[in-house]
Amino acid sequence: GNAQSVTNVNFQPDWVWLKRRSGVQNNNVFDAVRGNTKLLATNTTDAEGTVSQWLNSFDSDGFTVGTAGNVSANGETNVAWNWKAGTAFSNDASATSIGNVDSSGQVNTNAGFSIVSWQYTTSADNLIAHGLSVAPTMMIIKSRTTAYNWDVYHKDLSAASKRLLLNTTGAEINGFTDTAPTSTVFEYNTSGASNNDNMIAYCFHSVDGYS
């Protein structure tokens, strides 16, 4: 029931995924791009919420959880998965001619991982710079503003137009465009997001000897 520093992670995480093991609780994700008080739950369609005393800080050797029962209930066991991005990036699409919407976030090119934030537009295909130097092979995407599914792209689905929904048990369905990600951008369009929705994407590609 007390705030706790979780250490020995051996780096400062930029994405922390928290889950209670000993009881029913959502899969709660926090990242340094959105801020430590901004909550998304991967098993629900809920829009982003603002919480306190859940994830109090990203620390140099781990993170600190607060007093909220969801993360610090007395006697409960929990697990956390941690990813390091570390390097900030931003793309002004009109200035760089990379993509057609501005994006920003954090990236770890050595690990093949980036966190990407952008504002959705319904006026054109969303072509978003992902910050990596290699095309993502998996992406997990969520509207922060609208209650809508978590879309998952993976190169080994049956087509680039296919997606999985992280918050359901269903098989692959249509939903992505036919254009696979490139070394600079990915394309994302959905009927579930509204114009000017704030979006977040977690992007990955394989790295020999790492993942």
Side-chain angles (χ1 to χ4, degrees):
N2 296 319
Q4 301 180 66
S5 294
V6 181
T7 58
N8 295 320
V9 175
N10 294 320
F11 57 85
Q12 180 168 320
D14 298 291
W15 188 27
V16 177
W17 187 321
L18 292 170
K19 179 70 175 76
R20 180 179 295 171
R21 299 169 55 198
S22 53
V24 175
Q25 182 53 251
N26 288 333
N27 284 271
N28 300 308
V29 294
F30 302 85
D31 65 70
V33 172
R34 295 181 299 118
N36 66 288
T37 64
K38 300 301 182 180
L39 167 70
L40 287 169
T42 66
N43 55 295
T44 78
T45 61
D46 294 349
E48 180 181 84
T50 300
V51 294
S52 63
Q53 294 298 317
W54 285 52
L55 186 77
N56 285 5
S57 60
F58 302 98
D59 305 331
S60 61
D61 189 28
F63 58 91
T64 297
V65 293
T67 58
N70 307 72
V71 293
S72 289
N74 189 49
E76 300 282 359
T77 56
N78 303 274
V79 65
W81 297 276
N82 303 273
W83 286 261
K84 178 181 177 64
T87 301
F89 78 91
S90 63
N91 178 62
D92 182 335
S94 60
T96 64
S97 297
I98 299 173
N100 63 359
V101 293
D102 297 342
S103 64
S104 61
Q106 293 195 14
V107 61
N108 184 340
T109 54
N110 290 332
F113 170 62
S114 67
I115 307 169
V116 187
S117 175
W118 80 98
Q119 196 167 64
Y120 191 80
T121 178
T122 56
S123 63
D125 290 345
N126 286 241
L127 297 172
I128 305 112
H130 49 64
L132 298 166
S133 56
V134 177
T137 51
M138 185 175 79
M139 300 181 294
I140 304 172
I141 301 171
K142 180 73 173 77
S143 170
R144 301 168 56 187
T145 311
T146 297
Y148 180 66
N149 293 311
W150 288 80
D151 285 326
V152 179
Y153 163 87
H154 194 280
K155 69 178 182 63
D156 290 332
L157 296 178
S158 60
S161 60
K162 300 294 186 179
R163 60 182 169 137
L164 294 169
L165 303 183
L166 189 61
N167 51 284
T168 80
T169 60
E172 65 177 30
I173 59 174
N174 288 318
F176 276 93
T177 59
D178 292 328
T179 304
T182 72
S183 60
T184 55
V185 300
F186 66 91
E187 184 174 357
Y188 180 72
N189 294 293
T190 178
S191 60
S194 301
N195 196 47
N196 296 324
D197 269 13
N198 293 318
M199 307 292 297
I200 196 75
Y202 306 108
C203 302
F204 304 84
H205 69 77
S206 297
V207 175
D208 287 345
Y210 182 83
S211 64

